[in-house]
Amino acid sequence: MVAFLAPSTDAVDLAYQAGMENGGLDEGEPGERPHYGDGYYGAYLRDPDGNKLHIVYRVDFSLQ
Protein backbone atom coordinates (compact mmCIF):
# COMPACT_ATOMS: atom_id res chain seq x y z
CA MET A 1 0.00 0.00 0.00
CA VAL A 2 1.12 3.51 -0.83
CA ALA A 3 -0.13 6.53 1.10
CA PHE A 4 -0.30 10.10 -0.20
CA LEU A 5 -0.51 13.08 2.13
CA ALA A 6 -3.11 15.59 0.93
CA PRO A 7 -3.21 19.31 1.80
CA SER A 8 -6.94 19.31 2.66
CA THR A 9 -10.06 17.17 2.95
CA ASP A 10 -11.17 18.56 -0.42
CA ALA A 11 -7.96 17.24 -1.97
CA VAL A 12 -8.67 13.77 -0.51
CA ASP A 13 -12.17 13.89 -2.01
CA LEU A 14 -10.89 15.02 -5.42
CA ALA A 15 -8.12 12.41 -5.55
CA TYR A 16 -10.54 9.64 -4.59
CA GLN A 17 -13.05 10.82 -7.20
CA ALA A 18 -10.37 10.98 -9.91
CA GLY A 19 -9.21 7.49 -9.03
CA MET A 20 -12.72 6.09 -9.17
CA GLU A 21 -13.40 7.80 -12.52
CA ASN A 22 -10.25 6.23 -13.96
CA GLY A 23 -10.84 2.58 -13.14
CA GLY A 24 -10.17 2.48 -9.42
CA LEU A 25 -12.07 0.26 -7.01
CA ASP A 26 -13.49 1.51 -3.72
CA GLU A 27 -11.73 0.30 -0.56
CA GLY A 28 -13.12 3.01 1.74
CA GLU A 29 -14.87 6.23 0.80
CA PRO A 30 -13.46 9.56 1.99
CA GLY A 31 -14.28 10.38 5.57
CA GLU A 32 -13.04 10.84 9.10
CA ARG A 33 -11.18 7.93 10.62
CA PRO A 34 -11.37 8.62 14.38
CA HIS A 35 -9.78 5.26 15.20
CA TYR A 36 -6.55 6.70 13.70
CA GLY A 37 -6.76 9.82 15.89
CA ASP A 38 -8.39 13.23 15.97
CA GLY A 39 -8.21 15.16 12.71
CA TYR A 40 -7.57 12.10 10.50
CA TYR A 41 -9.46 12.13 7.17
CA GLY A 42 -8.74 9.60 4.48
CA ALA A 43 -9.87 7.41 1.61
CA TYR A 44 -8.79 4.04 0.26
CA LEU A 45 -8.95 2.66 -3.26
CA ARG A 46 -7.26 0.20 -5.57
CA ASP A 47 -5.82 1.26 -8.89
CA PRO A 48 -6.61 -0.74 -12.06
CA ASP A 49 -3.55 -2.94 -11.39
CA GLY A 50 -4.82 -3.83 -7.92
CA ASN A 51 -2.43 -1.67 -5.88
CA LYS A 52 -4.00 -0.28 -2.71
CA LEU A 53 -3.76 3.51 -2.30
CA HIS A 54 -4.48 5.66 0.72
CA ILE A 55 -5.00 9.41 0.51
CA VAL A 56 -4.91 11.15 3.87
CA TYR A 57 -5.22 14.60 5.39
CA ARG A 58 -4.25 15.13 9.02
CA VAL A 59 -5.17 18.29 10.89
CA ASP A 60 -2.13 19.89 12.50
CA PHE A 61 -3.59 20.97 15.83
CA SER A 62 -0.35 22.75 16.75
CA LEU A 63 -1.21 25.43 14.16
CA GLN A 64 -4.56 26.27 15.73
Side-chain angles (χ1 to χ4, degrees):
M1 181 173 72
V2 176
F4 297 94
L5 187 59
S8 67
T9 57
D10 288 339
V12 172
D13 295 344
L14 289 171
Y16 174 84
Q17 180 181 353
M20 296 303 292
E21 290 173 356
N22 286 283
L25 299 173
D26 175 46
E27 289 280 332
E29 293 183 352
E32 293 182 11
R33 303 284 195 281
H35 52 284
Y36 293 141
D38 291 338
Y40 197 102
Y41 185 93
Y44 293 92
L45 63 138
R46 290 197 184 268
D47 70 16
D49 292 325
N51 301 299
K52 191 169 185 178
L53 308 172
H54 180 48
I55 305 115
V56 61
Y57 170 71
R58 297 192 77 171
V59 174
D60 186 348
F61 290 108
S62 69
L63 299 175
Q64 298 179 357

